[in-house]
Amino acid sequence: MKSKWKISFFFIVIIVAALSFWNYKNRVYDWDMPGYIGCLYTLKFPDSPDKIRRLTYTEIKKKAPEYEFRDILGILKPADKARQAFANNTQAFIEQLPYFQIKVGYNLAILLLYEVGFSSPDSVTLLSVFSYFISGIMIFFILKIIFPENYILAVILTVGVLLLPPMTYMSRVATPDMFIVQILLLFIIGLLKKWNSWVMFSVLFAITFTRPDYIPFTLTYLAAAGIYRYFQNKKPDFILILQGIILVVVYFIIIKLFHYPGWKHLFL
């Protein structure tokens, strides 16, 4: 059985790599891309807002198909006035960046790829593709844990999940969703393997650091774990309480640091 799992793993790596390449070849330059590239250049040139806006659209134009670039500019019919403002007005472009900047972990990962030598648009699109590949391998390992005697089912289900439209879509566009999926899968592995509370906390921290808007999820897990342990031991687990406080503090630090205005301000 062990040798069959090794063969299955080799087989799934080839399939996931092929699917990842297919998604990369069909990548989409969507209207979120300028926001994340703007965040990247803000880290590189924090005192040059005009340069940040110009570089963002210049670099996208080099890579994007003409139709998709026109869509990013908001000049396709019907015209999108907001996208046009972001493309042509530095103040408007910079003011919308906090909505993207709070995804700190995601933006740092983009910066890492950029520093390695990829262009800014490729850093964004490749991050989704790499996350898709890693997620595929992690899904296979999760299924191996769940179905330890059925390697064929693990392969079939892995490929099936990776072919789901939401998965292929997330791997092709500029979004932190595919990046966070791999961390959530790590969380599932931790649950199945019963990792200790501090290892699980590190995963929860990574989730919050990457997507602060996932704070309800991370706190809900800690609350559920706390209730479970209370009924087990008949006393509160102060470690879980401390972990919850740390996550809340991290959340508010990120919100304050990047001057996140909140979606309600869009409608004022």
Side-chain angles (χ1 to χ4, degrees):
M1 182 60 70
K2 192 173 181 179
S3 62
K4 291 179 179 179
W5 276 111
K6 288 181 179 179
I7 295 171
S8 299
F9 176 71
F10 177 74
F11 186 64
I12 206 68
V13 167
I14 294 175
I15 293 177
V16 176
L19 290 174
S20 299
F21 181 73
W22 172 57
N23 288 324
Y24 175 73
K25 296 297 289 185
N26 290 279
R27 62 195 181 278
V28 177
Y29 295 83
D30 68 346
W31 67 280
D32 272 350
M33 180 172 280
Y36 291 113
I37 292 180
C39 293
L40 168 65
Y41 286 133
T42 299
L43 293 171
K44 298 292 291 183
F45 313 107
D47 301 317
S48 306
D50 285 322
K51 182 176 182 179
I52 291 168
R53 180 184 60 81
R54 289 196 305 269
L55 269 177
T56 295
Y57 289 96
T58 299
E59 291 303 306
I60 294 175
K61 186 177 182 180
K62 293 178 183 177
K63 294 284 185 175
E66 182 179 355
Y67 178 85
E68 292 179 9
F69 184 64
R70 289 169 62 85
D71 184 44
I72 289 173
L73 294 178
I75 57 177
L76 293 178
K77 294 183 179 180
D80 190 308
K81 299 297 184 181
R83 297 184 197 181
Q84 290 180 18
F86 296 151
N88 298 302
N89 184 291
T90 296
Q91 182 178 352
F93 181 76
I94 296 300
E95 285 181 350
Q96 52 110 27
L97 289 186
Y99 293 104
F100 301 92
Q101 287 174 311
I102 62 165
K103 284 86 169 189
V104 181
Y106 177 70
N107 287 317
L108 289 178
I110 292 173
L111 176 63
L112 177 62
L113 290 179
Y114 181 76
E115 293 293 349
V116 168
F118 293 106
S119 68
S120 51
D122 283 347
S123 296
V124 176
T125 54
L126 282 173
L127 184 57
S128 292
V129 172
F130 291 157
S131 299
Y132 177 86
F133 177 83
I134 295 170
S135 296
I137 302 302
M138 295 177 75
I139 290 170
F140 177 75
F141 275 112
I142 289 171
L143 293 169
K144 181 178 181 293
I145 295 170
I146 298 173
F147 305 108
E149 303 297 325
N150 201 329
Y151 60 93
I152 295 178
L153 182 61
V155 170
I156 293 173
L157 289 177
T158 299
V159 176
V161 170
L162 290 176
L163 288 174
L164 290 174
M167 290 292 285
T168 57
Y169 175 76
M170 289 189 296
S171 70
R172 297 175 181 180
V173 298
T175 174
D177 294 337
M178 194 71 251
F179 187 78
I180 198 71
V181 163
Q182 62 189 336
I183 308 177
L184 293 173
L185 290 171
L186 186 63
F187 172 79
I188 294 173
I189 293 174
L191 286 179
L192 294 173
K193 290 289 190 178
K194 299 180 179 179
W195 290 346
N196 70 57
S197 62
W198 282 109
V199 176
M200 289 300 290
F201 170 74
S202 67
V203 178
L204 296 175
F205 183 91
I207 292 172
T208 306
F209 191 66
T210 301
R211 289 288 302 263
D213 51 334
Y214 273 49
I215 190 72
F217 169 80
T218 55
L219 293 181
T220 299
Y221 166 76
L222 289 175
I227 293 171
Y228 175 75
R229 293 185 187 179
Y230 178 79
F231 282 108
Q232 261 193 332
N233 306 319
K234 304 303 180 183
K235 60 180 181 179
D237 190 327
F238 291 104
I239 290 179
L240 293 177
I241 295 173
L242 173 62
Q243 292 174 351
I245 293 172
I246 293 173
L247 292 182
V248 170
V249 170
V250 168
Y251 171 80
F252 281 108
I253 287 175
I254 292 173
I255 295 301
K256 293 295 182 182
L257 183 63
F258 294 104
H259 308 290
Y260 183 67
W263 290 109
K264 65 180 182 181
H265 290 79
L266 289 175
F267 306 103
L268 294 180

